[in-house]
Amino acid sequence: MNISKIRVKNYKSFLDSGEIEIKNNIFAFIGQNNTGKSAILDAIQVFFPSSKKSVILENYHKSTDEDIEIEVWFSEVNNEYLESIFLQDKIDKQIDTIKNIEEQIKETDNDNLREKLNKEQSKLKEIRENGVSQLIEQYKIKDETLYLKLVVPKSGKNQYKLINDENIKDADVKKILPELRVIPALRDPKNESTAGTNSYLKDLLQMLDESVQTSIKLDGKTLTYKDLNRVLSEETKKRSQNLASAITKYYNSAIGNKDYRIEIESTVNISKGTSYNTVLIDKNNPGVRADIMNCGTGYQSMIILSILETYVEMALNRSNYILLVEEPEVYLHPKLQRRMIDALIRISKSNQVIFTSHSPITVSKLSRSDIRLVERIDGEAKVCEVEIKKVIDELGIKADDILHSKGIIFVEGKDDEIVVKELIRKLDESMADKINVIQADGCSKLKWYANAEVLINQKYSVPTLIIRDADVAEPLKVKQALVTELVEFLDKPQYDHYSQEEKEEIREKFQHSIIVLDDHSIEYFFINKDLLKEFVEDKVKLDNALQCYMCQYKKQLQRSRAGQNGKNVFERFFQPKRFLEGYPDQSSIGREANEISFKNRWNSLKESCVECSNELGIDNFLEIREALIKKTEQISREGSNVLEYLILKHDLNYLRECGMGNFIALIDSFLQRVTK
């Protein structure tokens, strides 16, 4: 469940923000100081009943007597979400009842038990269907979208309203909304490192109290306060060690080395409560122990982020979160800013992240659709669409060093980079270090457009290939949209010195340089029985599993391109990466949760697969997929990537025969162009 749209009226610098659409899991507001960026994040906090932020008289826009209104639309309020929030206990209890009857049937199979089983299964279906229907009616949910409006009058009680303007209780709003977490611009590392009131660390420890079984045993003995204090101290130390280990992992990832270890020292006193102290230890100098409060403010910011990442990972099995971050780059060196935004992007794969920023490094990794510019116009805060060129210039987003290459190949992500580089080495080892292969993150991020501008300024003199995944869009439309966005640069005043003929030449070069893959992504080329046969012992089962996958892949891709699949459905359950590798980009808890959802989704397709000629069906598909994932995990543990492994293992002719012929020919053709 994510925020998909917000609107703020009469709050702080906003008379009316208009409807601000938030399409993806990560979203940024940029703009100069005092334009109103923070006011939007504050309004979101005011909206959530679990938040402690409240409205004061000074918050009413220009002292207006009009009510403050904060409208929020939430997407993906689907059956699965509603069940997990409201019905899970009933469902789990009913499933246990069904399992008990099934066990009895195994021992004594009779008609009475089978009749009882049918009744309980019908009851489970009824719990799900009736429960969800009632919730949809109660909250007036339509097309998996929930609309809520908070009205804050100057006098009187706050009110929440549904889309039909009907009032709804605060308690009912609180029940359905996801958790809200906030990292403010003014950091309070002391509060965090000591697990102060409302800190992320305190929340973490409370969560551990709920999820980790204690080893305390009474054995009929009445414990004295001294005994209880001792046992609780031992338990707290165990929890603190587990927590410190998790935070250390994220902290080392953030700073880019493994030289430090974080320890959390705990002191338990039943009469006074539990206190914590966070210490940073240099592994190279074990005797050096630094209290976090004595470290630089930048590293303190990374500690807060590390704690937050740990919280998110451990809480993934409970619910999803909406994270608000004010200026994540504050106090950070550019290198750490890059790690900060990478960390936020990782978090956004499972939780929505909304932040404000002034940083070109932070914003450069986002798409234009994921950014809004907040400006002050005639004393009013306005939220505007961003103009790529304006953002690049104002924030100083820099291009990669691309002009000293023999040739440039822009690709989508890490896997694409690995595949292209390894194929270049196989085709012509001498060109491996002369072709600059750059991850462009989908050719939609602002950093990509900064690179494109450099190419235009140089009249596109460097041979360039731009390889785009089609994802769930029509390839031709993807190409046309990208060409249109790129050539918009040519209409800017700074290119007036180019003749019309020169502009047309640049347009043509872009047109010929962009290649959009017909299928979803580059991993599709590796879904081939001859490439994967070494991973599975039973070749018949493998062949049937691949047939099963291809059948649903094509069907679901077509549905997605026709707009019939919900947001991210194809990405979560049908893209080639999920078949071949599972969810390696998720935390361990996230992987487990996604695997359960994956199996449920595919099992739900059994009835619609009756027309398929596949003999073994979806059960076999899930079995073979599990074997493939185990093999890819093994390859990963050995320090390789499964795509890299398969390319290195086979020669070019074999790869061509396995369905990669056209893609290899594309790379080979580019190399020929570069070496002319």
Side-chain angles (χ1 to χ4, degrees):
M1 183 181 189
N2 291 332
I3 294 174
S4 60
K5 199 160 47 175
I6 59 177
R7 185 174 189 174
V8 181
K9 294 181 181 178
N10 302 315
Y11 181 67
K12 291 191 173 181
S13 53
F14 283 99
L15 174 62
D16 186 348
S17 70
E19 294 181 3
I20 307 167
E21 190 173 4
I22 300 176
K23 292 182 179 179
N24 296 315
N25 272 20
I26 189 160
F27 195 86
F29 292 97
I30 63 172
Q32 297 180 6
N33 290 328
N34 300 316
T35 55
K37 302 186 303 298
S38 297
I40 297 173
L41 299 197
D42 288 347
I44 294 173
Q45 291 179 68
V46 168
F47 177 87
F48 274 73
S50 58
S51 170
K52 294 185 177 180
K53 185 173 283 293
S54 57
V55 171
I56 58 177
L57 284 176
E58 288 79 3
N59 294 154
Y60 285 82
H61 180 71
K62 295 182 178 180
S63 301
T64 181
D65 290 326
E66 297 291 323
D67 297 341
I68 288 173
E69 293 184 1
I70 304 170
E71 299 172 88
V72 183
W73 290 256
F74 294 91
S75 62
E76 299 183 61
V77 193
N78 50 34
N79 291 11
E80 187 179 23
Y81 180 81
L82 294 172
E83 285 182 9
S84 67
I85 298 299
F86 294 94
L87 306 172
Q88 199 60 57
D89 288 343
K90 283 185 178 180
I91 290 171
D92 289 344
K93 187 176 179 180
Q94 189 61 23
I95 288 174
D96 287 341
T97 300
I98 290 170
K99 285 180 178 177
N100 288 334
I101 298 173
E102 288 174 338
E103 289 299 320
Q104 293 176 42
I105 289 174
K106 287 180 183 177
E107 296 175 5
T108 309
D109 191 359
N110 61 60
D111 291 340
N112 289 336
L113 283 175
R114 291 204 168 275
E115 185 179 344
K116 187 176 180 182
L117 177 62
N118 290 335
K119 285 182 179 179
E120 296 300 336
Q121 287 174 334
S122 297
K123 188 176 178 181
L124 175 60
K125 185 178 180 182
E126 184 180 328
I127 290 171
R128 282 189 159 132
E129 290 181 352
N130 291 351
V132 168
S133 295
Q134 289 170 11
L135 289 165
I136 288 173
E137 172 57 29
Q138 178 186 351
Y139 288 97
K140 303 299 182 283
I141 297 165
K142 185 177 181 181
D143 297 329
E144 299 186 358
T145 297
L146 168 67
Y147 167 89
L148 291 168
K149 177 167 70 174
L150 173 64
V151 179
V152 185
K154 270 193 171 179
S155 59
K157 189 178 179 182
N158 296 358
Q159 289 184 330
Y160 284 98
K161 293 182 177 292
L162 295 165
I163 196 165
N164 63 349
D165 211 36
E166 177 184 323
N167 287 350
I168 182 170
K169 295 178 182 177
D170 293 17
D172 290 329
V173 172
K174 190 173 183 179
K175 282 179 188 176
I176 197 170
L177 294 187
E179 293 282 347
L180 184 73
R181 298 294 165 193
V182 183
I183 301 181
L186 297 175
R187 307 286 192 249
D188 186 4
K190 182 176 182 180
N191 188 51
E192 292 305 327
S193 61
T194 59
T197 304
N198 298 325
S199 71
Y200 303 115
L201 186 53
K202 189 174 184 67
D203 286 347
L204 260 177
L205 291 172
Q206 288 174 343
M207 187 180 70
L208 277 174
D209 280 336
E210 296 171 4
S211 59
V212 178
Q213 288 188 345
T214 177
S215 58
I216 298 173
K217 295 181 180 179
L218 299 177
D219 293 330
K221 178 185 175 182
T222 302
L223 299 179
T224 65
Y225 274 99
K226 183 177 179 181
D227 292 333
L228 186 58
N229 209 92
R230 174 182 53 78
V231 175
L232 287 174
S233 294
E234 291 173 358
E235 286 298 311
T236 303
K237 284 180 182 177
K238 289 178 187 176
R239 294 199 308 275
S240 296
Q241 288 170 0
N242 291 337
L243 186 56
S245 176
I247 295 173
T248 296
K249 176 182 70 175
Y250 285 114
Y251 184 79
N252 287 337
S253 173
I255 65 173
N257 63 56
K258 298 182 179 180
D259 293 340
Y260 296 96
R261 184 178 80 253
I262 289 170
E263 285 189 1
I264 299 174
E265 300 169 342
S266 59
T267 303
V268 177
N269 186 311
I270 292 175
S271 61
K272 295 181 180 179
T274 304
S275 61
Y276 301 91
N277 186 46
T278 310
V279 178
L280 189 64
I281 298 172
D282 187 341
K283 292 181 182 178
N284 298 320
N285 300 285
V288 179
R289 300 166 61 85
D291 188 286
I292 293 301
M293 291 309 301
N294 295 325
C295 298
T297 50
Y299 280 87
Q300 291 172 357
S301 288
M302 296 314 301
I303 278 285
I304 292 175
L305 180 75
S306 303
I307 290 172
L308 179 59
E309 286 191 294
T310 307
Y311 185 85
V312 169
E313 178 180 347
M314 299 180 73
L316 274 175
N317 62 337
R318 292 160 59 82
S319 68
N320 66 320
Y321 293 78
I322 294 174
L323 311 174
L324 306 182
V325 189
E326 288 195 60
E327 299 177 21
E329 69 273 8
V330 70
Y331 303 132
L332 295 180
H333 181 277
K335 181 179 179 181
L336 289 179
Q337 288 187 35
R338 291 186 182 93
R339 294 190 176 276
M340 173 69 87
I341 186 59
D342 286 343
L344 291 177
I345 289 171
R346 285 199 305 274
I347 292 173
S348 75
K349 293 183 183 297
S350 302
N351 304 268
Q352 190 172 34
V353 178
I354 301 174
F355 67 96
T356 63
S357 180
H358 296 279
S359 167
I361 293 171
T362 301
V363 174
S364 69
K365 294 211 171 188
L366 301 186
S367 302
R368 174 168 58 177
S369 61
D370 299 331
I371 305 169
R372 288 294 177 272
L373 175 65
V374 183
E375 295 183 299
R376 188 69 72 100
I377 303 173
D378 297 328
E380 309 285 352
K382 301 290 183 182
V383 179
C384 311
E385 296 277 341
V386 298
E387 183 182 324
I388 292 174
K389 177 61 179 168
K390 183 176 180 180
V391 174
I392 289 174
D393 289 343
E394 284 196 3
L395 294 184
I397 297 172
K398 295 181 179 178
D400 294 285
D401 183 14
I402 62 176
L403 297 180
H404 302 291
S405 310
K406 289 280 188 181
I408 307 162
I409 301 179
F410 290 102
V411 296
E412 292 267 0
K414 186 65 179 175
D415 286 346
D416 307 67
E417 181 186 355
I418 288 169
V419 170
V420 170
K421 282 185 173 179
E422 293 305 329
L423 288 177
I424 289 173
R425 285 192 177 92
K426 279 187 174 290
L427 286 162
D428 188 344
E429 179 71 33
S430 67
M431 295 300 295
D433 297 325
K434 297 175 183 177
I435 304 296
N436 195 352
V437 182
I438 299 173
Q439 292 182 51
D441 291 321
C443 296
S444 61
K445 306 298 185 281
L446 294 185
K447 183 64 169 288
W448 150 248
Y449 289 103
N451 285 319
E453 186 177 18
V454 172
L455 292 175
I456 291 172
N457 283 327
Q458 298 297 318
K459 294 189 179 179
Y460 216 142
S461 58
V462 182
T464 304
L465 180 63
I466 303 161
I467 302 175
R468 281 277 333 246
D469 291 343
D471 295 328
V472 295
E474 292 288 349
L476 184 58
K477 290 182 180 178
V478 173
K479 180 170 181 172
Q480 288 172 339
L482 183 54
V483 171
T484 300
E485 288 185 332
L486 287 172
V487 298
E488 280 180 5
F489 280 108
L490 293 170
D491 296 326
K492 304 301 178 186
Q494 65 264 39
Y495 299 117
D496 286 346
H497 63 285
Y498 283 174
S499 68
Q500 195 59 37
E501 186 178 344
E502 287 173 320
K503 289 183 179 182
E504 285 302 321
E505 184 182 352
I506 292 171
R507 285 191 179 95
E508 282 299 310
K509 285 182 177 179
F510 270 126
Q511 184 78 32
H512 290 299
S513 294
I514 298 170
I515 302 296
V516 180
L517 303 180
D518 288 336
D519 291 289
H520 176 273
S521 56
I522 207 164
E523 288 89 352
Y524 178 83
F525 296 131
F526 295 84
I527 311 299
N528 181 281
K529 64 180 180 181
D530 293 319
L531 282 176
L532 301 176
K533 63 184 180 183
E534 66 169 289
F535 294 178
V536 179
E537 203 169 300
D538 192 321
K539 303 302 180 289
V540 174
K541 283 190 171 184
L542 173 63
D543 194 24
N544 275 270
L546 293 178
Q547 288 179 38
C548 187
Y549 173 71
M550 286 302 178
C551 174
Q552 282 299 332
Y553 169 85
K554 291 173 182 176
K555 185 185 298 183
Q556 298 297 333
L557 183 58
Q558 186 177 9
R559 283 177 55 82
S560 294
R561 287 178 175 173
Q564 295 171 349
N565 269 335
K567 182 181 177 184
N568 296 330
V569 167
F570 189 89
E571 303 291 337
R572 284 187 67 194
F573 304 119
F574 303 104
Q575 66 164 303
K577 186 181 185 72
R578 301 309 179 203
F579 170 53
L580 191 58
E581 301 179 65
Y583 299 87
D585 49 346
Q586 303 287 314
S587 67
S588 56
I589 294 175
R591 285 196 296 273
E592 183 180 342
N594 276 299
E595 283 297 333
I596 292 171
S597 296
F598 184 96
K599 289 171 184 174
N600 289 340
R601 170 68 65 163
W602 276 81
N603 280 323
S604 72
L605 299 171
K606 286 181 179 178
E607 291 182 9
S608 63
C609 284
V610 290
E611 76 276 6
C612 182
S613 59
N614 187 304
E615 297 175 358
L616 301 179
I618 284 175
D619 288 336
N620 172 69
F621 161 77
L622 293 172
E623 177 189 336
I624 296 303
R625 176 179 175 270
E626 190 172 335
L628 291 174
I629 290 174
K630 284 181 180 178
K631 181 63 178 177
T632 60
E633 287 175 345
Q634 178 189 333
I635 291 170
S636 179
R637 286 194 297 271
E638 293 169 356
S640 187
N641 170 286
V642 66
L643 309 186
E644 178 185 27
Y645 171 87
L646 290 169
I647 291 175
L648 291 175
K649 186 176 179 64
H650 303 292
D651 62 35
L652 283 171
N653 286 333
Y654 189 83
L655 293 172
R656 287 187 181 101
E657 291 170 2
C658 291
M660 295 185 66
N662 290 339
F663 192 74
I664 292 171
L666 172 67
I667 304 299
D668 191 25
S669 174
F670 181 74
L671 293 180
Q672 299 304 319
R673 180 152 60 98
V674 171
T675 54
K676 275 184 180 179

